[in-house]
Amino acid sequence: MSTAPSFLAESRSVTAQSAPAPALPAPRALLLDFGGVVFSTTARMTWARDLATQLAARGHALGAELDVAQVEASLRAGRTALSLWKNASSRRQEPRELDPREIVGEFLLADLPAPVRAALALDASAILAAMAPLVADHHVRPGIPALLDLARERGLRLGIVSNAHSGRAHRRILEQHGLADHFGVQIYSDEVGIRKPHPGMIRLAADALGVRPEEAWYVGDTFDRDVAAGRRAHAGAVVITRDRRTDNPPFHVSDTPDLVLETPEDLIYPLREALDAAPAPAVQMAGTTVPDAATTRPRPAPARPALLLDHGGVITESSPNPERDREVGGMILALAERIGIPLTLEDAAQAVADGWDRHRARKRERDTLADPGHRHDEVDPAVLWGDLIGADLPEPLRAVLRLEAPQLSLALHRAKSLPAPRPGVIDLIRWCAENDVVVGIVSNTISGRGVREILDRYGVGHLIGPAAYSDEIGVRKPGRAVFDAALAGLAADRADVVYVGDKALNDGRGGKDAGIGTVCLLRGGKDPDAALESALAAGHADLVLDSPADLIDVLAARLTPAT
């Protein structure tokens, strides 16, 4: 049994059996940490082997044969190093969060060959989402259902504020336990770019719920992250519910909480007492400002090609979904209802339609910029949802849209069209797998996660190697950075790479500017045949083809015959 540090004695401790709780100001919102408050966890000892097995299978699509034991050792070493980094970051006043690609490429898989690291880092968000349930089993802590019911009964707005490698996984766990609908906002460090004890985490949640930090209680389980964050944000009350990390902070923390409780169940009494003593007034909506986020594998034989494909128009052909605006508008309406904003489905659907038009106009304007450093920047999801789609909506709802932007972009990607594989492309991808030709993707999209879902639905997701999506890289084609990201995951010279797209500028000129050896354009996509022929004549493409299946002959001719 751990011995509680001396500074615990300085805070006011309350249990269900103790004397009445100290008087605290009645809150108008309740902000809960995820792990240690809503959930406790039980470690799964096999997590590293399970994840290593998945990654080794993924390596086959990269043209790499990975040793499961080596990958497992790298994962365990990386997680240990990551824990040390997190503890050190807790000492900072306003720590930033690591990018998912940093976590995967520089910590978890640091012992693997450079091309494999680069390729797998492109799938970092998916890897971290898969890792979360493998590392631990999650159990709802005692009293949480009753606490959430009390909050709903008394009109308290609820939010999650959590450091997380994968907010995506946390959201899924909440949904699986039937708790997601209670929370008006969920703030995860990987999604907002900062981590506790940065006070901005709590301020973001308060802003999105339309209250001041002083009107919210923050409940966590650690001193170095949660108590420090709550005090720096000036939360109305800071509460600890003890969990395995509570009594073992990595260093002395001078901040103290208002209450130290054994379980969330013990919070019900002092919360009810505070609410009964001083009922919360009507909520006064607040605006928001979102802070700035901030080789051992041998080379393939000479002349062995690698293949990079565009997604839309090459792998997938789509037809518009006439219900797009209403389907996505329904999600906005649900978010509005959770934070008490009156809105109709018609207004939400119109916001989606108008915002998408603004986004398209903005892309056209950006393409004319003289500054090459920003001409091809991809739209930030928070800007898309908070500024473009949310332009005519109430400010507190716009704040929530900014914070929920990655999930909303995925929903929009799912709803905007009805995808189907382009004839011949599945045969092409499978032929490449059978002939050890690595296949990667370079695609402009609002949701790389959505594209991955489509590829899995086609049954070829496991055959795809390095995949660079503009929303994850931050640059759109024809910008070079998105091409470079995919090329870094290939153990092949650019001269040996074949790239296939359907647009003369984005794919033809973009591929050539990136130094790719062979650029092919496909008829039947977005650009008319005349534009493709002009690109060919201008030297911005090497081939114009009719079908993805035509690539099989192109690639077969480049394979070095066996000797």
Side-chain angles (χ1 to χ4, degrees), residues 192-485:
V192 298
I194 56 177
R195 61 181 286 113
K196 295 178 293 185
H198 196 309
M201 295 277 286
I202 292 174
R203 291 170 185 159
L204 280 170
D207 285 346
L209 295 177
V211 302
R212 292 178 291 111
E214 294 86 349
E215 298 171 312
W217 286 12
Y218 177 61
V219 187
D221 68 312
T222 61
F223 281 77
D224 57 310
R225 297 163 202 184
D226 296 317
V227 177
R231 290 299 179 219
R232 292 172 192 174
H234 305 294
V238 179
V239 180
I240 282 288
T241 59
R242 272 198 175 97
D243 199 45
R244 58 185 174 81
R245 294 177 299 174
T246 303
D247 297 342
N248 298 287
F251 45 79
H252 176 76
V253 181
S254 58
D255 292 309
T256 59
D258 295 290
L259 297 174
V260 177
L261 309 172
E262 292 303 316
T263 72
E265 186 173 26
D266 297 330
L267 181 59
I268 294 173
Y269 176 78
L271 176 60
R272 184 179 283 118
E273 287 291 295
L275 293 171
D276 288 343
V283 174
Q284 182 178 18
M285 298 302 176
T288 181
T289 300
V290 178
D292 292 335
T295 91
T296 60
R297 183 163 74 101
R299 270 185 46 81
R304 175 168 292 278
L307 178 64
L308 293 177
L309 302 175
D310 187 15
H311 175 246
V314 175
I315 297 177
T316 288
E317 51 189 15
S318 303
S319 56
N321 175 16
E323 295 299 315
R324 178 199 70 181
D325 298 340
R326 291 183 68 83
E327 289 177 11
V328 180
M331 291 187 64
I332 296 176
L333 180 62
L335 289 172
E337 290 174 347
R338 291 182 200 173
I339 63 170
I341 299 294
L343 190 70
T344 67
L345 178 58
E346 288 69 25
D347 287 341
Q350 191 61 51
V352 176
D354 293 345
W356 190 250
D357 287 343
R358 293 186 188 102
H359 170 56
R360 297 178 66 182
R362 188 174 181 270
K363 285 196 295 183
R364 291 192 293 269
E365 292 172 2
R366 190 173 55 228
D367 288 343
T368 66
L369 292 176
D371 179 6
H374 298 286
R375 182 186 305 163
H376 305 307
D377 286 354
E378 182 58 277
V379 65
D380 185 297
V383 172
L384 173 62
W385 289 96
D387 298 349
L388 302 181
I389 292 175
D392 299 324
L393 299 176
E395 179 55 37
L397 180 55
R398 295 177 67 186
V400 174
L401 295 183
R402 292 185 186 101
L403 295 167
E404 296 293 318
Q407 287 65 239
L408 291 167
S409 289
L410 174 62
L412 178 56
H413 188 275
R414 288 169 173 166
K416 69 186 180 69
S417 59
L418 306 174
R422 182 163 175 172
V425 76
I426 302 302
D427 290 339
L428 168 64
I429 293 172
R430 289 176 177 162
W431 180 91
C432 287
E434 292 167 359
N435 289 273
D436 297 324
V437 175
V438 175
V439 179
I441 292 178
V442 181
S443 175
N444 287 349
T445 180
I446 60 169
S447 179
R449 182 179 169 191
V451 177
R452 290 182 175 93
E453 287 184 351
I454 290 173
L455 295 172
D456 286 340
R457 195 156 64 243
Y458 294 168
V460 297
H462 65 291
L463 302 178
I464 301 299
Y469 299 107
S470 62
D471 69 309
E472 298 171 356
I473 305 302
V475 172
R476 295 176 58 81
K477 296 180 297 184
R480 179 163 178 163
V482 68
F483 289 99
D484 286 344

Side-chain angles (χ1 to χ4, degrees), residues 32-45:
L32 307 179
D33 193 7
F34 182 91
V37 177
V38 179
F39 291 97
S40 61
T41 59
T42 303
R44 299 179 76 251
M45 296 298 102

